[in-house]
Amino acid sequence: QEQVILSGGGLVQAGESLRLSCAASGRLGNGNGVDWYRQAPGKEREKVAGISSLGSTTYTDSVKGRFTISRDRARKTIYLQMISLKPEDSGTYYCNVRTPWGDAWSQGTQVTVSS
């Protein structure tokens, strides 16, 4: 069964780092574009970073310089490295694989940054 599995997350203090991993199986992991989203309580889900099938990356302004998205094609995994975390980075994080036949979402993982 093709699926997108997200791992990582947890509770950290402000200034610390975390890495999220998004593993896509089967055709889902064949170099498709992938976006990372987060949703804080009471707020809309927002896109924080993305990587295209060609490897170009985008970031929302609030995470530029602190978050890095990367791809390991052999492992069919996309990573979101987060450094210098802030309390406002807290929320539920998701990854979304964009395929020609539709989007495939991961389950969410909680990131909590304490001040």
Side-chain angles (χ1 to χ4, degrees), residues 35-54:
D35 298 316
W36 287 94
Y37 288 78
R38 68 185 177 196
Q39 186 167 21
K43 295 187 177 181
E44 293 186 356
R45 187 175 298 188
E46 65 167 338
K47 177 181 168 181
V48 296
I51 186 167
S52 74
S53 58
L54 297 178

Side-chain angles (χ1 to χ4, degrees), residues 9-49:
L11 171 64
V12 297
Q13 293 187 334
E16 294 184 340
S17 301
L18 277 176
R19 188 179 77 164
L20 305 180
S21 300
C22 176
S25 61
R27 295 178 301 167
L28 294 175
N30 292 342
N32 293 298
V34 176
D35 298 316
W36 287 94
Y37 288 78
R38 68 185 177 196
Q39 186 167 21
K43 295 187 177 181
E44 293 186 356
R45 187 175 298 188
E46 65 167 338
K47 177 181 168 181
V48 296

Side-chain angles (χ1 to χ4, degrees), residues 65-112:
R66 300 187 299 117
F67 289 17
T68 303
I69 188 171
S70 61
R71 182 196 300 273
D72 184 331
R73 290 186 180 272
R75 297 181 185 274
K76 296 188 175 184
T77 300
I78 304 294
Y79 301 99
L80 185 67
Q81 179 69 49
M82 306 182 290
I83 65 171
S84 302
L85 283 162
K86 305 175 181 180
E88 51 264 43
D89 294 319
S90 298
T92 303
Y93 283 68
Y94 305 85
C95 63
N96 175 45
V97 178
R98 293 181 271 111
T99 76
W101 58 91
D103 291 348
W105 287 87
S106 70
Q107 83 286 8
T109 191
Q110 185 66 33
V111 171
T112 303

